[in-house]
Amino acid sequence: FDEFNRINIEVLSVVSAQLKAIQNAIVFDQETADIGMSNPIRVKRVAGFATCGFFITMNPGYAGRTELPDNLQALFRPVMMMVPDLRMISEIMLFSEGFESAKDLAKKMAVLYDLSKSVLSKQFHYDFGLRTLKTVLVLAGGLKRQYAQLDERIVLMRVLRDSNMPKFTFEDVPLFMGMIQDLFPGLDCPRVAFEALSDALGGYFESNGYKSDAEVFDFQVNKALQVYETQTVRHTTQIVGPTGGGKTLIIDALAAARGTAQNVTVKQWVINPKAQPLHQLYGFMDPETRDWTDGVLSRIFRDLNQPLPQGRENEMRWIVYDGDVDALWVENMNSVMDDNKLLTLPNGERIRLQPHCAQLIEVYDLQYASPATVSRCGMVWVDPKNLGYRPFYERWVKQRCGDGRVVDNANTDEATRLIELYDCYVSQSIELILKGIVNGEAGKKLEMIIPVTDIDLVKQLCCAIDAMWPSPAIRASTPENSFDGPVAYDKSVLDGVFLFAATWSLGASLTTANRGRFDTFLKKLGQSGGGGDFPRDGTLYDNVFDVERQEWENWKDRVPDYVQPSPFRFFDIMVPTVDSVLYTFLLKKLASHRPILFVGESGTAKTLTIQNYMSSLDRERNILLTLNLSSRTTSRDVQTNIDSIIDKRSGAIYGPPAGKRLVLFIDDMNMPKLDAYGTQQPLTWLQTLMSRGFFYDRDKDLNQKIIKDLDYIAAMGPPGGGRNPITPRIYALFNVINVTDPSEACLEGILTSILTTKFSDFTSGVKEGISKIPKTLLKIFAEVVHNLPPTPTKFHYIFNLRDLARVTEGLCLSTVDKCRSEEDIARYFRNEATRVFCDRLATVADNELVSKTIATAISSSFSGSAAEHALVDPMVFGDFAYAKQRLVEDKEDPRLYSDLGAYEDIKKTFDDILDFYNSESAKKLMLVLFDMALEHITRIMRIIRMPRGHALLIGVGGSGKQSNVQLASFCAGYQVFTVALSRGYNELTFRDDLKVLYSELFDKPTTFLFTDAHVVEEGFLESINNILNTGMVPALFEKDEIDAIVNKYRKDAKAHDPNCVTGPQVFQYWQLKCRDNLHVVLAMSPSGDKLRIRCRNFPGLVSNCVIDWFFSWPEDALKKVATFLLGDVMLPDEHRDNIIAHLVKSHTTVIEKSTAYKVEQRRFYYVTPKNYLDLISNYRNQLNINRKKNGSSITRLEGGLTKLVEAAEAVSRMQVELADKMVVVNAKTIDVEALIVDITAKTKVADEQAAVAAEKQVAAEEQSRVIIEEKGKADAALNEALPAVAAAAAALENLEKKDLDEIKNFAKPPELVMAVCYQVVCLAPTGEKLSENWVDAKKMLGNGHLLDLLKNYPKDKITSKQISGVKKYFKQYPNLTVWHFS
């Protein structure tokens, strides 16, 4: 068994038992061995010896390897393989290959490989082991036979150089060549020429426009030839190198060139092995049903290794693995990559790699590949440093201004100017950005939001130029009004476009602090190198080049006026700013040319900007799809969502409906979790789709689906805080743009625009107060962000621009009727700031700090009276003043958001609503409405009354989160939906429940209450995260279900919008309606790390929810709860207050001790309100139990006292009766005394008779004793006689009738015989009375039944006379015994 320790530990345990069973069968010479299969296996033996042995090989310590269990190790004898002697092996193999100077050459080889290990850099793909050595020696032998007259040293030097050079990095090539020259001084030999193939490769590169620089051209041809050479000796080749080196191009070029030069048709099948789980790659065997499901690779590998059909014998098939290499999937290929060439599938199927099939692995690096994998493959390193980025730019110029090979004469000026601008700006800018080099001097390089390679920067530049001003061919073939700018070449236009494109390509990913330096550098380059005109005011980032007007324009001049949406819905607000106009412009220009990636901190309006751009697209020509990724998102989730949108066009080609493009927005792109080998599976799958344009079907035939007409837009935050770094191969596919934080002036302008427009109809006092709010709010925000950074225990302290929007949204709830003065708006502002910034805080100290910050800011901004009015406590705001009339009396409720006064004012309202709820609902709410509970209810009411408002309630168990939500939702007129857990509840069941939820959402607002107890699987939170982000779970409904929804709500949609007629439009209308009616309320416990991890993995839980933190109940609340719960308990009035105080004291004391325990022991002991409720419940129960016990004792005591009274009365009655009966008793006493005298006399006589009886008893006892003695003697005699009786009976059994006849015929028998016969006569067995003489004895012997009569003789009935008659003969004849006769 090769690679034995790659088996899972669970399987190894079973293998151990099976091997032990086989060994036992051999030891104990058994024919079969039971190894747990359906039938025992037979042990084959030859000449008496079992022909069975186990040999395993294993590499310990590698990734993906398992440590063998001790019981399995004991079954094997370990053999350690020593490090091979490369010199000796080389010498032997060289001799065998025909080298005469093998000894010297072997020494050179060994020295070269030892030096390579120590001198060259440490690369993951380097291998100088035995497999590599063997390959080189085999190649040397082949070359020796091919060139027999060539010097052996030259042959070996050529092989060593040509076989090792392909894998060396740019820096190691000169070092290795130096070692070759030192070992083989004075020798030089050109590499093996493949002239036809080399010419074909050159023709391919040249025809596709890849020939520009001669050195780069030769490098590409040489690399392709190296791949070919490697393939001739290895059937698996790994092409390794960073992004931008041309790996894919080299593979495609070699495939095409072999068809031209060798008439070999090369077909490629590309697989990204990390785009799906391992079981979907190799296949899966169901452990229960044993059903086999093919994987993508298993199906392709099987199909490609079928025999070639007739007429296609010259076909070559390549499997290209384009993706990361880890220690799992590639280790399963080890048996394919070595000389075995066998792929073993989990179902036991073994597929051999045929000669017409080869494997190529295109990979960034081999960090996670084991030495066993590296040694099995041929390595070709493709270094981007050899290629550079200028060839790409020059080819792009040829494509833009020509046919890709040469520039058209008509476009020579434009092409020449593009090259001049490149020379002026690009190389030096990239040197500054990536290396910090200016004029050859090294300095500090510029910081990018994420690292972007040099060639990717150039790609972004070329894309930006094409987007800003199309190529001459496009300009000439399209109407002038379809694009901005002139049709003919204009130098000033091209200069301006190039500068703008360079700013937003080379400098797009730079951080804010580095953009100024880059702007200055670009201007300096342009001024010194004739790079065109620059904007007069501001930086290049502050201006846009207007192609149509052919001049620079400041972004501020393009910002339109803010228009308030009608009807007013806060989530529809989009305040135009410089940033929004800028990034929207970039999206419009770039998104259709190349995928766009926005990178920026949370709250920089990335998502909002992209969504607004997408909403502006023509729905007749575009289909929109938004994917919100999280840590739980899988590649299957992404594929399912895209699959639900696309349709089949023809053959294997799929895409959105004809005439439309699918615009895919991927939000939080770097949220998917990294696997053990640093891969994000959803992004790897997207990489294949974006770069290759296809994916494999997973559910049906595993066929390849080619996807057309997709545009990609993505957004993500910088790596860190739960966001993972993505690989260069992913972001190389995008134009990366850093979305910077808006300036304070920009934020103030946004807030001012919203508030002044919204409050334009209010009084002058309100307007004056509104004008002060933006600066005050920004001041508070800055203080909060500075003083309260997020920590592991305060993970939710994430304050961003969303919080500013929430405060503003809350202010917009105020109405003219309720907000009439500056004092009122100041109080509104304090309430909203407190709700947004304070309600989420986890400690009292933080709460006090922020409250003080808010109070200080208000005091410094507003007038004395306004500030004084605003700082009055408590603050109770809501729109439920008339909720009772609406719910109970069905009256109209204006629902005006206003200050409702003190807690006492709203308590009565909620008491009435609670009573009404309990009267209407089957499940009663047992709520105590103390001040804190009222405060949380009003907070929840405020959140869910907001359009698309969602809440995250954080508090320990028993805090009242769910009860508060129930009451708040009922007060708001919402229904509450929650999932009902059951046995076997899983994600499918949860999705079914979500379908039920959405089926009810269209008609009625609903609160979706979801607690941490409902999180049976973490995947549930993936759906919740999507609901919070987009309002819908992607791919929740099947197509037939969508059709049913469309048909049901088509009339409603058309009534809302007459243009809403198509199925997608109706479904989108239904989705928006459901989203507006849905309010998600999450109730979570902060105990442990679960909530922190969940909020990190699913950012929507924090970013899209308003957080309300539930503190421990204060003493006032504890007293009210105890008073309520003990209200129906009968307690003495003088003790009731003391009892309640004691319960409160007990609970608070435990809280204090748990806090001290945490500080001293660093351990947690959670004390929750549920514990307090349990304490009161236990007190009630114990009180009831003891009262019942006391009642039972009292009842028993009262019964006893009653019996005593009844007994005393009975005694009195009996005393009267006793007096009456004493007379009778006295008379009877006289009679009794006389009777006693008579009895005394008779007793004397009886005593005398008793004495006589006693004497007789003594005599009887003496006789009994004698009888017992005689009986003992008789028994002893009997015991002595019993053997004789038994012997006699046995002897009688031996007698036969003939024996009796023989005795009867005696005239005078012997004396002893005659004595025996006389004894039998005495016993009279025949019943006749006979005399003791021989005549009568013969008469007795003549009885035919004598033997039977003797055998059945009644021995117990022998008389004393008979015994005496028999005994006399014993006395007469002493020898008359049984033993004498025997």
Side-chain angles (χ1 to χ4, degrees):
F1 299 93
D2 197 12
E3 304 285 353
F4 187 71
N5 59 335
R6 293 200 65 244
I7 302 174
N8 293 335
I9 187 66
E10 299 84 358
V11 180
L12 286 178
S13 300
V14 178
V15 171
S16 173
Q18 292 175 332
L19 294 183
K20 186 63 177 175
I22 295 173
Q23 289 183 350
N24 289 339
I26 295 172
V27 171
F28 296 108
D29 202 22
Q30 298 174 352
E31 294 184 358
T32 61
D34 185 3
I35 61 172
M37 307 297 286
S38 56
N39 296 313
I41 62 172
R42 189 172 66 87
V43 180
K44 183 180 179 181
R45 287 179 170 81
V46 176
F49 296 97
T51 59
C52 179
F54 302 100
F55 301 91
I56 64 174
T57 64
M58 52 183 280
N59 295 320
Y62 289 171
R65 264 55 175 198
T66 306
E67 189 71 25
L68 294 188
D70 293 339
N71 60 340
L72 187 56
Q73 290 184 24
L75 301 180
F76 293 95
R77 175 186 175 187
V79 177
M80 181 62 69
M81 304 301 293
M82 60 180 283
V83 177
D85 187 341
L86 299 184
R87 189 195 61 77
M88 182 180 295
I89 294 173
S90 301
E91 182 178 342
I92 294 171
M93 286 198 67
L94 286 173
F95 269 126
S96 66
E97 295 287 355
F99 284 81
E100 296 179 1
S101 55
K103 194 175 189 67
D104 293 336
L105 295 178
K107 185 176 181 181
K108 290 178 181 290
M109 283 192 69
V111 171
L112 178 65
Y113 273 65
D114 288 338
L115 287 174
S116 297
K117 290 180 183 178
S118 58
V119 174
L120 300 183
S121 63
K122 307 301 179 184
Q123 301 291 332
F124 296 115
H125 65 279
Y126 282 2
D127 174 57
F128 302 102
L130 188 58
R131 278 195 178 94
T132 305
L133 181 74
K134 178 178 177 292
T135 302
V136 172
L137 292 171
V138 172
L139 279 174
L143 200 62
K144 168 71 174 174
R145 288 186 290 274
Q146 186 177 357
Y147 302 97
Q149 288 74 29
L150 198 63
D151 189 342
E152 291 181 348
R153 294 177 302 162
I154 294 179
V155 170
L156 185 62
M157 184 203 74
R158 174 190 280 182
V159 172
L160 287 172
R161 181 194 63 195
D162 294 348
S163 61
N164 285 289
M165 283 291 288
K167 66 185 175 186
F168 290 131
T169 62
F170 182 81
E171 294 81 7
D172 286 339
V173 168
L175 292 175
F176 184 77
M177 290 303 298
M179 289 188 288
I180 288 283
Q181 293 298 326
D182 290 341
L183 290 171
F184 301 93
L187 297 180
D188 189 19
C189 182
R191 59 175 296 141
V192 177
F194 301 94
E195 295 181 0
L197 185 60
S198 179
D199 293 341
L201 285 168
Y204 177 87
F205 287 125
E206 187 172 357
S207 63
N208 288 277
Y210 293 107
K211 184 175 182 180
S212 55
D213 183 87
E215 184 179 351
V216 173
F217 176 76
D218 292 339
F219 160 75
Q220 289 182 307
V221 173
N222 187 44
K223 276 298 172 186
L225 290 175
Q226 288 177 353
V227 174
Y228 175 73
E229 289 177 327
T230 306
Q231 283 188 309
T232 59
V233 294
R234 295 285 183 97
H235 51 273
T236 301
T237 304
Q238 297 208 31
I239 304 176
V240 189
T243 301
K247 299 186 293 295
T248 303
L249 174 61
I250 289 170
I251 294 173
D252 294 340
L254 180 59
R258 291 195 64 182
T260 304
Q262 302 172 345
N263 194 28
V264 174
T265 302
V266 177
K267 295 183 178 180
Q268 300 182 48
W269 279 261
V270 180
I271 302 173
N272 190 331
K274 296 299 292 291
Q276 58 277 311
L278 203 62
H279 69 272
Q280 293 181 358
L281 182 67
Y282 286 103
F284 174 70
M285 172 76 77
D286 191 303
E288 297 179 357
T289 64
R290 310 297 293 172
D291 290 337
W292 169 250
T293 304
D294 245 336
V296 174
L297 175 58
S298 62
R299 188 188 70 83
I300 291 177
F301 199 90
R302 185 187 303 109
D303 293 345
L304 298 192
N305 286 281
Q306 297 295 325
L308 291 173
Q310 188 174 1
R312 292 165 57 184
E313 290 81 3
N314 63 337
E315 184 174 293
M316 192 72 190
R317 299 170 178 177
W318 290 354
I319 304 177
V320 181
Y321 302 100
D322 184 11
D324 297 341
V325 170
D326 63 25
L328 294 179
W329 79 264
V330 78
E331 291 290 332
N332 293 330
M333 300 294 295
N334 278 357
S335 59
V336 183
M337 295 186 293
D338 61 19
D339 294 338
N340 294 316
K341 297 186 180 181
L342 277 177
L343 175 64
T344 303
L345 299 178
N347 65 343
E349 182 182 1
R350 307 178 77 188
I351 307 172
R352 183 172 295 280
L353 185 72
Q354 299 299 325
H356 63 264
C357 191
Q359 299 186 121
L360 289 94
I361 302 176
E362 183 181 342
V363 63
Y364 185 88
D365 62 29
L366 296 177
Q367 179 180 357
Y368 298 104
S370 68
T373 299
V374 174
S375 64
R376 284 171 164 84
C377 302
M379 294 293 168
V380 178
W381 173 263
V382 181
D383 202 323
K385 295 177 182 177
N386 295 106
L387 178 62
Y389 46 84
R390 186 182 182 96
F392 177 88
Y393 184 84
E394 292 178 348
R395 180 173 181 266
W396 169 79
V397 171
K398 294 175 184 178
Q399 289 177 325
R400 178 181 172 88
C401 301
D403 60 358
R405 294 180 297 171
V406 294
V407 175
D408 293 342
N409 292 331
N411 303 322
T412 302
D413 293 340
E414 184 172 339
T416 302
R417 184 57 182 166
L418 285 170
I419 295 297
E420 291 174 354
L421 291 170
Y422 173 89
D423 293 334
C424 178
Y425 292 106
V426 177
S427 298
Q428 298 181 69
S429 297
I430 291 178
E431 289 287 304
L432 170 67
I433 293 171
L434 299 181
K435 301 178 182 178
I437 297 177
V438 179
N439 297 326
E441 296 182 1
K444 184 179 180 181
K445 64 182 182 180
L446 303 186
E447 182 182 357
M448 293 187 284
I449 190 71
I450 58 174
V452 183
T453 62
D454 50 11
I455 194 169
D456 293 324
L457 291 174
V458 175
K459 289 180 182 178
Q460 295 182 28
L461 171 64
C462 298
C463 172
I465 296 173
D466 283 339
M468 287 293 295
W469 198 31
S471 66
I474 295 177
R475 298 199 302 266
S477 61
T478 56
E480 290 188 23
N481 59 0
S482 64
F483 64 90
D484 299 331
V487 175
Y489 164 68
D490 188 302
K491 178 177 177 295
S492 62
V493 172
L494 185 59
D495 290 351
V497 167
F498 190 94
L499 268 175
F500 180 82
T503 303
W504 290 105
S505 56
L506 304 180
S509 58
L510 297 179
T511 59
T512 305
N514 290 270
R515 286 186 172 183
R517 184 180 168 195
F518 180 68
D519 172 75
T520 304
F521 183 76
L522 277 183
K523 290 179 179 178
K524 184 178 179 181
L525 290 177
Q527 291 166 0
S528 61
D533 297 330
F534 293 90
R536 290 186 297 272
D537 299 323
T539 66
L540 289 168
Y541 291 97
D542 297 331
N543 293 269
V544 57
F545 185 79
D546 192 320
V547 179
E548 186 174 2
R549 295 163 53 192
Q550 302 181 22
E551 64 180 12
W552 288 94
E553 181 183 6
N554 197 292
W555 284 113
K556 294 180 181 178
D557 299 333
R558 290 197 172 193
V559 178
D561 294 332
Y562 165 67
V563 178
Q564 182 172 287
S566 181
F568 181 82
R569 297 192 301 179
F570 194 83
F571 55 80
D572 287 333
I573 290 177
M574 180 63 186
V575 180
T577 64
V578 168
D579 289 341
S580 66
V581 172
L582 160 64
Y583 296 124
T584 303
F585 176 83
L586 293 176
L587 283 171
K588 289 180 179 179
K589 291 295 184 182
L590 299 175
S592 59
H593 291 76
R594 196 163 188 259
I596 305 299
L597 173 60
F598 277 4
V599 185
E601 293 291 348
S602 179
T604 51
K606 302 184 300 295
T607 302
L608 181 61
T609 303
I610 295 172
Q611 288 177 341
N612 282 333
Y613 160 72
M614 293 174 67
S615 64
S616 68
L617 296 176
D618 184 4
R619 297 300 176 87
E620 297 297 327
R621 304 179 61 182
N622 296 279
I623 294 179
L624 312 180
L625 176 61
T626 300
L627 296 179
N628 285 88
L629 306 188
S630 71
S631 65
R632 296 280 299 184
T633 306
T634 64
S635 62
R636 189 181 188 90
D637 297 332
V638 179
Q639 181 172 337
T640 301
N641 291 326
I642 296 178
D643 250 337
S644 65
I645 300 293
I646 61 176
D647 298 325
K648 186 173 183 178
R649 293 184 175 177
S650 62
I653 299 177
Y654 291 76
K660 295 187 177 183
R661 294 189 67 84
L662 173 59
V663 181
L664 177 62
F665 172 37
I666 308 160
D667 203 3
D668 289 326
M669 191 176 74
N670 58 344
M671 279 302 300
K673 65 180 179 181
L674 299 170
D675 64 14
Y677 305 99
T679 302
Q680 293 169 287
Q681 188 188 97
L683 301 191
T684 303
W685 185 90
L686 280 171
Q687 172 197 330
T688 302
L689 176 61
M690 296 172 67
S691 60
R692 301 285 185 173
F694 68 84
F695 59 76
Y696 290 98
D697 190 14
R698 301 198 191 205
D699 298 324
K700 298 179 182 177
D701 302 325
L702 304 176
N703 292 327
Q704 188 183 88
K705 289 184 175 181
I706 301 172
I707 311 301
K708 299 292 185 182
D709 299 331
L710 257 70
D711 293 333
Y712 303 90
I713 304 173
M716 69 179 222
R723 299 182 296 263
N724 301 302
I726 59 177
T727 64
R729 296 196 71 185
I730 304 267
Y731 60 66
L733 303 171
F734 290 90
N735 265 34
V736 180
I737 299 174
N738 177 21
V739 181
T740 57
D741 293 331
S743 63
E744 186 172 340
C746 179
L747 293 176
E748 185 178 346
I750 294 173
L751 299 176
T752 302
S753 298
I754 297 174
L755 294 175
T756 53
T757 305
K758 175 64 177 174
F759 288 84
S760 59
D761 297 333
F762 284 64
T763 64
S764 58
V766 174
K767 292 180 182 179
E768 184 180 353
I770 283 296
S771 65
K772 301 174 183 178
I773 286 178
K775 286 187 177 180
T776 308
L777 178 56
L778 291 174
K779 182 179 179 182
I780 295 171
F781 177 74
E783 287 288 329
V784 171
V785 171
H786 178 265
N787 294 325
L788 298 177
T791 64
T793 56
K794 301 173 183 178
F795 54 88
H796 58 291
Y797 281 20
I798 302 173
F799 301 97
N800 52 44
L801 304 187
R802 288 189 179 92
D803 299 301
L804 300 179
R806 287 171 181 146
V807 175
T808 308
E809 183 179 9
L811 288 171
C812 291
L813 294 176
S814 57
T815 59
V816 177
D817 298 330
K818 295 293 183 180
C819 185
R820 302 186 182 90
S821 63
E822 183 180 358
E823 288 80 3
D824 292 337
I825 196 62
R827 186 161 176 79
Y828 271 88
F829 172 63
R830 184 199 171 202
N831 176 72
E832 298 309 314
T834 303
R835 297 286 73 79
V836 172
F837 294 114
C838 292
D839 288 354
R840 72 171 60 190
L841 303 179
T843 65
V844 176
D846 291 346
N847 211 310
E848 292 175 351
L849 174 64
V850 176
S851 297
K852 185 178 180 181
T853 300
I854 295 173
T856 303
I858 291 176
S859 299
S860 62
S861 299
F862 288 88
S863 63
S865 60
E868 184 178 350
H869 179 71
L871 299 178
V872 174
D873 288 324
M875 291 185 301
V876 181
F877 279 75
D879 62 354
F880 51 87
Y882 302 100
K884 175 186 174 184
Q885 290 84 337
R886 170 171 48 85
L887 294 172
V888 180
E889 304 172 11
D890 200 20
K891 292 183 179 180
E892 185 177 354
D893 183 0
R895 295 197 175 188
L896 301 178
Y897 189 71
S898 61
D899 188 354
L900 299 179
Y903 294 123
E904 293 78 9
D905 300 327
I906 64 171
K907 185 176 185 303
K908 184 162 189 331
T909 300
F910 279 118
D911 281 335
D912 294 338
I913 294 173
L914 180 60
D915 292 340
F916 182 68
Y917 175 89
N918 288 333
S919 65
E920 293 289 321
S921 177
K923 188 176 181 180
K924 311 299 181 185
L925 273 181
M926 300 299 293
L927 269 179
V928 181
L929 298 177
F930 49 85
D931 292 350
M932 179 180 282
L934 293 171
E935 189 171 338
H936 284 298
I937 293 172
T938 57
R939 292 178 187 178
I940 297 169
M941 280 281 293
R942 173 187 172 275
I943 296 170
I944 64 177
R945 289 289 295 138
M946 295 277 191
R948 300 182 181 180
H950 308 299
L952 172 59
L953 312 181
I954 304 178
V956 294
S959 300
K961 300 185 293 293
Q962 298 185 54
S963 300
N964 291 346
V965 172
Q966 293 280 356
L967 184 58
S969 299
F970 182 75
C971 182
Y974 297 171
Q975 65 178 356
V976 177
F977 180 88
T978 186
V979 298
L981 299 182
S982 58
R983 183 185 297 273
Y985 196 88
N986 55 24
E987 192 158 358
L988 291 176
T989 319
F990 180 61
R991 290 176 73 88
D992 290 338
D993 283 343
L994 291 180
K995 291 180 182 180
V996 175
L997 167 64
Y998 276 93
S999 67
E1000 302 171 355
L1001 277 178
F1002 185 84
D1003 301 317
K1004 189 173 183 180
T1006 302
T1007 300
F1008 179 23
L1009 177 58
F1010 190 80
T1011 72
D1012 44 9
H1014 294 145
V1015 189
V1016 179
E1017 299 177 10
E1018 291 296 311
F1020 291 6
L1021 292 175
E1022 171 74 12
S1023 299
I1024 297 296
N1025 188 65
N1026 282 313
I1027 292 174
L1028 294 172
N1029 286 319
T1030 64
M1032 175 57 68
V1033 179
L1036 178 64
F1037 296 99
E1038 302 294 336
K1039 289 191 175 181
D1040 56 337
E1041 294 173 320
I1042 293 176
D1043 293 339
I1045 292 172
V1046 170
N1047 294 331
K1048 182 177 180 181
Y1049 295 102
R1050 188 182 298 275
K1051 289 183 179 179
D1052 296 287
K1054 195 168 184 179
H1056 177 265
D1057 182 2
N1059 296 322
C1060 187
V1061 291
T1062 65
Q1065 289 174 335
V1066 174
F1067 186 68
Q1068 184 181 20
Y1069 163 76
W1070 176 82
Q1071 282 183 306
L1072 293 175
K1073 184 74 173 176
C1074 291
R1075 185 178 185 183
D1076 292 341
N1077 283 339
L1078 176 62
H1079 301 276
V1080 179
V1081 179
L1082 306 174
M1084 301 289 180
S1085 171
S1087 304
D1089 292 331
K1090 277 190 176 181
L1091 182 59
R1092 177 176 60 83
I1093 295 172
R1094 287 169 177 171
C1095 289
R1096 183 186 65 193
N1097 293 339
F1098 305 98
L1101 301 187
V1102 175
S1103 62
N1104 291 309
C1105 290
V1106 178
I1107 300 176
D1108 184 13
W1109 190 281
F1110 282 64
F1111 286 103
S1112 301
W1113 289 350
E1115 288 193 18
D1116 175 62
L1118 296 174
K1119 289 180 181 178
K1120 289 184 177 179
V1121 170
T1123 302
F1124 174 79
L1125 295 178
L1126 298 178
D1128 59 343
V1129 179
M1130 295 181 61
L1131 295 174
D1133 293 337
E1134 63 272 16
H1135 297 310
R1136 180 179 292 272
D1137 292 340
N1138 292 333
I1139 291 172
I1140 293 173
H1142 176 73
L1143 292 172
V1144 173
K1145 183 65 175 177
S1146 300
H1147 184 71
T1148 54
T1149 302
V1150 175
I1151 292 177
E1152 293 171 0
K1153 294 298 182 182
S1154 65
T1155 304
Y1157 182 65
K1158 174 185 174 182
V1159 173
E1160 296 171 3
Q1161 303 294 329
R1162 300 291 183 184
R1163 298 176 67 182
F1164 291 91
Y1165 179 78
Y1166 295 101
V1167 184
T1168 68
K1170 183 67 169 59
N1171 301 134
Y1172 182 64
L1173 298 177
D1174 291 341
L1175 172 64
I1176 298 175
S1177 176
N1178 289 338
Y1179 172 71
R1180 286 173 58 102
N1181 293 337
Q1182 290 298 319
L1183 186 61
N1184 290 333
I1185 291 171
N1186 284 282
R1187 281 181 171 175
K1188 287 180 180 179
K1189 187 185 295 183
N1190 291 340
S1192 174
S1193 299
I1194 292 172
T1195 302
R1196 187 171 64 253
L1197 182 59
E1198 288 177 346
L1201 292 174
T1202 302
K1203 292 297 183 183
L1204 289 176
V1205 173
E1206 292 176 353
E1209 294 175 352
V1211 168
S1212 300
R1213 289 195 306 272
M1214 291 172 64
Q1215 285 179 345
V1216 175
E1217 294 175 358
L1218 183 61
D1220 295 337
K1221 292 181 179 180
M1222 280 298 294
V1223 178
V1224 178
V1225 171
N1226 292 334
K1228 294 292 184 181
T1229 302
I1230 297 172
D1231 295 338
V1232 169
E1233 290 176 350
L1235 184 59
I1236 289 173
V1237 173
D1238 182 50
I1239 290 174
T1240 302
K1242 291 181 178 181
T1243 301
K1244 183 177 179 181
V1245 174
D1247 291 338
E1248 293 175 353
Q1249 293 177 349
V1252 174
E1255 293 176 358
K1256 291 182 177 180
Q1257 182 179 0
V1258 171
E1261 290 176 352
E1262 180 64 25
Q1263 291 177 356
S1264 176
R1265 185 181 62 77
V1266 173
I1267 291 171
I1268 291 172
E1269 291 179 357
E1270 292 296 329
K1271 182 178 180 298
K1273 294 178 180 180
D1275 289 340
L1278 178 61
N1279 290 334
E1280 292 178 0
L1282 284 176
V1285 173
L1292 185 62
E1293 291 291 336
N1294 292 329
L1295 288 179
E1296 296 181 2
K1297 182 70 169 55
K1298 62 182 181 178
D1299 297 327
L1300 299 181
D1301 292 339
E1302 182 182 353
I1303 295 173
K1304 184 180 69 171
N1305 292 329
F1306 287 161
K1308 187 178 182 180
E1311 290 183 351
L1312 296 179
V1313 174
M1314 185 182 296
V1316 170
C1317 291
Y1318 290 163
Q1319 286 178 326
V1320 174
V1321 169
C1322 291
L1323 295 174
T1326 60
E1328 298 180 73
K1329 188 175 181 180
L1330 300 175
S1331 299
E1332 296 177 13
N1333 55 52
W1334 182 240
V1335 175
D1336 287 348
K1338 290 174 66 176
K1339 184 179 178 181
M1340 177 190 69
L1341 292 173
N1343 191 327
H1345 300 288
L1346 179 61
L1347 288 177
D1348 294 332
L1349 292 173
L1350 289 174
K1351 292 176 181 179
N1352 299 317
Y1353 188 81
K1355 295 183 284 295
D1356 296 336
K1357 296 182 178 181
I1358 298 175
T1359 63
S1360 300
K1361 183 177 179 181
Q1362 290 175 330
I1363 292 172
S1364 300
V1366 171
K1367 281 185 175 181
K1368 66 183 180 182
Y1369 290 103
F1370 287 118
K1371 295 178 181 178
Q1372 186 177 354
Y1373 301 101
N1375 294 331
L1376 186 59
T1377 62
V1378 174
W1379 295 275
H1380 182 77
F1381 281 99
S1382 61

